Amino acid sequence: MDQETTYNLIASHGRTEEMLFFAELIGDYEKVVDYYTRERKWTHALEIIGKQNNLELYYKFSPTLMENAPQDTVNAWIKEPNLNPRSLVPSLLKYEISQHGNHIPVEQNQAIRYLQYACQKLQNKDPLIHNYLLSLYVAQATPDSEDDLLRFLSEEKEEPQFDLQYALRLCSKRGLMQSSVQIYSTMGLYEQAVNLALKHNDLELARINADKPEDDESLRKKLWLSIARHVVEEKKDIKRAMEFLKESSDVLKIEDILPFFPDFCLINDFKEEIITALEEYNQHIEDLKTEMDEATTSAESIRLDIRELRN
């Protein structure tokens, strides 16, 4: 008796348990899983899927299972490391749709949970997977709360697997300033990073990024000048500008930022810095004089040696 005839015969007598037993016995797991999903017995369906080795059953039934039992479904996925995360994207999208309108914290979001596992534990390098995970973090973030997204960007900054331009568009669209600045920095666009931070009056973030181009002294000076100019012209804070002179690790000098000061400005605000600068110049002049004296002495000594050699 063939398989289909046996199924029909058992079913005609209403013997469901026997039919499921027979299906498992002959390895027809798809029929068993299909029955349990139609009966909305999600745990039973996942148990059967986990007992067999056909990965296609995961891909076929996961959209329904993710919609109805997301945490248990992701648990089942994690137990099967041979699954292709790209093939599970339709199921993750189904989960997203089912949760639309519900605010789920990052740590409870099952789509983020699985994609994190795929990227970190499985070392998945597929840009589609990383872009998708990035988009989920962006969707969760707000201008006042970017911590999870910033952590993800930091983890990938050395070798980002996601599309940086795509990430920048998403973050800019949602007004995520800190993340946008970090992406600019990862792209090596330090000037844009500093300008964006200054636009939002985040001096600390601007300062951090101004120091990043370590091998380009002229660019560092340009970035620090932008910050100093912002402090003087926008914030009208002369004392804070003076503090930036010290924080810039000698990149800036007092004469670099004097042109930004208003015409009527109390010299007391930066008297100490001017005195220090003059003292440094004086010391530099003294050093040059010493070097010149040493060079003159050395030249005279050489002339004497030459004269003696001739005689």
Side-chain angles (χ1 to χ4, degrees):
M1 189 179 297
D2 68 8
Q3 179 176 311
E4 195 60 36
T5 302
T6 304
Y7 280 141
N8 291 335
L9 182 61
I10 297 174
S12 65
H13 290 82
R15 309 297 289 270
T16 302
E17 292 298 323
E18 284 77 2
M19 183 189 70
L20 295 174
F21 175 79
F22 175 71
E24 274 198 68
L25 189 65
I26 64 174
D28 189 2
Y29 296 106
E30 183 173 349
K31 190 171 190 67
V32 181
V33 175
D34 181 65
Y35 170 80
Y36 283 135
T37 53
R38 282 189 285 106
E39 294 294 315
R40 304 182 66 82
K41 296 181 178 181
W42 317 118
T43 304
H44 289 76
L46 287 166
E47 286 177 356
I48 297 300
I49 290 176
K51 287 170 61 175
Q52 53 85 53
N53 299 316
N54 182 9
L55 299 182
E56 291 302 318
L57 287 190
Y58 286 90
Y59 305 139
K60 179 176 181 177
F61 291 101
S62 283
T64 301
L65 293 169
M66 272 301 284
E67 190 175 12
N68 294 280
Q71 184 171 352
D72 290 339
T73 302
V74 170
N75 289 342
W77 290 355
I78 291 174
K79 289 178 182 176
E80 180 45 83
N82 293 317
L83 289 169
N84 182 357
R86 179 181 278 254
S87 298
L88 295 171
V89 168
S91 303
L92 295 170
L93 290 171
K94 190 80 170 181
Y95 167 75
E96 268 196 273
I97 294 170
S98 71
Q99 301 299 322
H100 183 70
N102 299 328
H103 178 71
I104 306 173
V106 167
E107 61 274 11
Q108 296 176 23
N109 187 304
Q110 297 305 312
I112 290 178
R113 178 185 166 217
Y114 178 72
L115 292 172
Q116 281 180 332
Y117 163 79
C119 295
Q120 296 173 4
K121 300 296 184 182
L122 299 181
Q123 296 293 300
N124 184 283
K125 303 296 183 184
D126 188 345
L128 182 145
I129 297 301
H130 289 257
N131 282 338
Y132 187 15
L133 179 54
L134 167 78
S135 71
L136 293 177
Y137 276 124
V138 170
Q140 292 274 347
T142 67
D144 296 325
S145 178
E146 301 181 48
D147 292 349
D148 293 307
L149 174 57
L150 287 169
R151 192 176 302 111
F152 169 74
L153 294 174
S154 295
E155 289 170 354
E156 296 221 356
K157 70 178 180 180
E158 296 300 327
E159 191 180 348
Q161 301 299 320
F162 57 86
D163 186 321
L164 288 166
Q165 294 285 356
Y166 171 69
L168 188 58
R169 285 197 302 273
L170 289 182
C171 292
S172 297
K173 187 176 180 180
R174 287 183 60 86
L176 304 175
M177 183 273 294
Q178 293 183 63
S179 298
S180 296
V181 168
Q182 186 157 322
I183 294 167
Y184 274 131
S185 179
T186 301
M187 296 169 75
L189 302 175
Y190 302 114
E191 190 168 357
Q192 288 88 332
V194 169
N195 288 340
L196 182 58
L198 292 178
K199 182 179 178 181
H200 290 80
N201 291 313
D202 194 329
L203 296 179
E204 179 62 20
L205 189 58
R207 187 189 65 76
I208 291 170
N209 282 274
D211 266 338
K212 286 187 176 180
E214 297 177 355
D215 300 328
D216 192 337
E217 197 67 22
S218 63
L219 178 57
R220 282 186 68 211
K221 183 172 183 177
K222 182 179 180 181
L223 297 178
W224 276 103
L225 278 172
S226 296
I227 299 173
R229 184 169 196 156
H230 177 86
V231 172
V232 174
E233 296 183 352
E234 300 295 329
K235 307 287 283 186
K236 312 296 184 186
D237 192 340
I238 304 300
K239 291 184 178 180
R240 185 73 180 99
M242 292 300 100
E243 292 173 8
F244 270 98
L245 285 179
K246 300 173 183 176
E247 295 176 9
S248 69
S249 303
D250 295 328
V251 173
L252 295 182
K253 303 293 183 184
I254 182 66
E255 62 269 26
D256 294 322
I257 64 174
L258 279 176
F260 305 146
F261 291 172
D263 293 336
F264 300 99
C265 182
L266 293 176
I267 197 170
N268 285 338
D269 288 335
F270 49 92
K271 181 175 65 176
E272 291 183 7
E273 284 73 17
I274 291 179
I275 293 172
T276 300
L278 291 173
E279 288 175 348
E280 288 178 355
Y281 279 125
N282 186 59
Q283 183 61 48
H284 184 58
I285 291 171
E286 291 297 325
D287 291 342
L288 287 175
K289 286 173 63 178
T290 301
E291 288 179 13
M292 290 173 64
D293 290 342
E294 289 175 353
T296 301
T297 302
S298 178
E300 183 63 30
S301 176
I302 291 172
R303 279 197 295 271
L304 289 173
D305 289 344
I306 292 173
R307 192 176 302 145
E308 288 179 4
L309 287 171
R310 285 176 177 174
N311 295 330

